[in-house]
Amino acid sequence: YIDGIPQRIVRRQHHAAHVLSVVAEHGLTGRLLGVSYDGTGYGLDDTIWGSEIFSCMLNDRFEEEDVRPDSTVESRPKIMRSGALLPVKLMGGEQSARDIKNTLCGYIRSIEERQLVGPGTIDKVFKILNIDRGDYGIISACLKADINIYYSACMGRLFDAVTALLGRKTRNTFGGESPMALEDAAMRAYRRLGVTLKDIEADELRMKVIEPTNEEEIYRMDQAVLVADLMERIVEIYESSSSIEEREDRIDELAFEFHKAIIDSTVYICDKVCGRDYIQHIALTGGTMYNRLLLDGIGSSLERLGYGVYINSKVPGGDGGISLGQMYGELI
């Protein structure tokens, strides 16, 4: 109640609100694909979201019996979660967004459990990054016992872990610091080599995409496999570089390849979902899309495929714009 007048509480999922902020800015209607890449936001399946690819029918609504909590995000308007990262178990809650070396240890634990790299590679990575085996053992024990853990499917933590793995940062002292350092490393490679996103060969770093096998599943990007590949590449760079300067240049190039891997997998899933759901317009939003290399790479690739691409311009693409999306969702 406010001044004795009953008020209706409306709950709207964080990353769906990011997409709706773009919808509000551009007055979009009908069918739309929304790509919402972000740091952290509660999901509807007991995981932390932040890598959502939504299929949206803005002038359509779910009937009550059609709502599936594991994949349906909103019934007003009709928004379906169609793609995301495969979750990784991490430890530490909000603290993990600051101590990115601990975040990386969570990824390494998942990689170790899945036997994606050999023990020798893990030992070499620990030595390169000065990760204490005792500290890693404590984190592993907590993860195994489900102490202070969460499941992350957000781009923010993936960028944090890769930044730590490439040795560019160990902590975030402000929001987005590590992803900014990773983008800067990739841009150094671009400026030095004059390469473009199209120049990366097909046999370079890739993100594995898991295809849905039924209507209940969504497309998944396997972030643990990507980090495992990066671990092997980092070891190879340290063992074969003839100087510190060569090593640092090659790590910058690896940061560039990482961005390309995210771009390629995103564009692949977008094209698949758009073809399935008869969509021609795509919204790109979320805090991770402040990364110009990522935003321009995804946007230009989709435009070359013939899609209309929309981004935030009048309101922030990060959390400063979600209130607009929350309100606009009640009007359409």
Side-chain angles (χ1 to χ4, degrees), residues 53-118:
I53 298 176
F54 294 124
S55 180
C56 313
M57 287 67 170
L58 300 174
N59 303 109
D60 197 3
R61 306 191 185 263
F62 282 110
E63 299 297 332
E64 191 66 31
E65 61 270 18
D66 292 336
V67 174
R68 300 198 306 271
D70 59 337
S71 59
T72 301
V73 180
E74 302 288 349
S75 58
R76 295 172 50 88
K78 185 177 181 180
I79 300 178
M80 292 287 294
R81 189 178 188 230
S82 297
L85 291 170
L86 189 67
V88 169
K89 185 194 283 190
L90 302 177
M91 189 198 78
E94 186 177 342
Q95 180 184 355
S96 69
R98 295 190 293 270
D99 191 345
I100 66 171
K101 189 175 283 189
N102 282 356
T103 299
L104 174 60
C105 286
Y107 277 85
I108 294 174
R109 174 61 180 172
S110 176
I111 290 165
E112 185 177 36
E113 286 183 332
R114 293 175 59 183
Q115 299 180 339
L116 297 176
V117 300

Side-chain angles (χ1 to χ4, degrees), residues 175-295:
E177 181 178 6
S178 294
M180 288 169 62
L182 193 63
E183 180 188 9
D184 186 53
M187 289 305 297
R188 283 197 299 270
Y190 168 79
R191 289 190 294 267
R192 186 179 66 255
L193 301 175
V195 296
T196 68
L197 293 168
K198 293 185 290 184
D199 292 330
I200 300 295
E201 297 296 331
D203 60 349
E204 298 292 350
L205 194 68
R206 309 290 291 180
M207 171 85 88
K208 178 182 178 182
V209 174
I210 303 171
E211 308 268 346
T213 59
N214 56 58
E215 293 183 356
E216 302 295 320
E217 295 180 354
I218 65 175
Y219 286 90
R220 290 289 192 179
M221 296 171 280
D222 198 332
Q223 54 181 331
V225 170
L226 180 60
V227 175
D229 290 345
L230 283 164
M231 289 172 65
E232 293 181 337
R233 293 283 294 277
I234 282 292
V235 170
E236 190 274 329
I237 287 172
Y238 268 79
E239 290 181 342
S240 63
S241 296
S242 58
S243 66
I244 294 176
E245 290 77 13
E246 179 190 350
R247 183 187 72 197
E248 294 303 298
D249 286 347
R250 291 177 66 187
I251 290 174
D252 285 348
E253 292 167 21
L254 195 55
F256 188 89
E257 290 182 39
F258 167 75
H259 281 77
K260 182 63 163 57
I262 300 293
I263 291 165
D264 284 349
S265 59
T266 301
V267 171
Y268 175 81
I269 295 174
C270 287
D271 194 37
K272 286 285 190 179
V273 176
C274 285
R276 182 193 70 190
D277 295 342
Y278 307 102
I279 294 172
Q280 288 296 321
H281 301 292
I282 301 173
L284 307 178
T285 186
T288 302
M289 290 297 182
Y290 284 135
N291 183 316
R292 295 302 304 184
L293 182 59
L294 199 68
L295 179 63

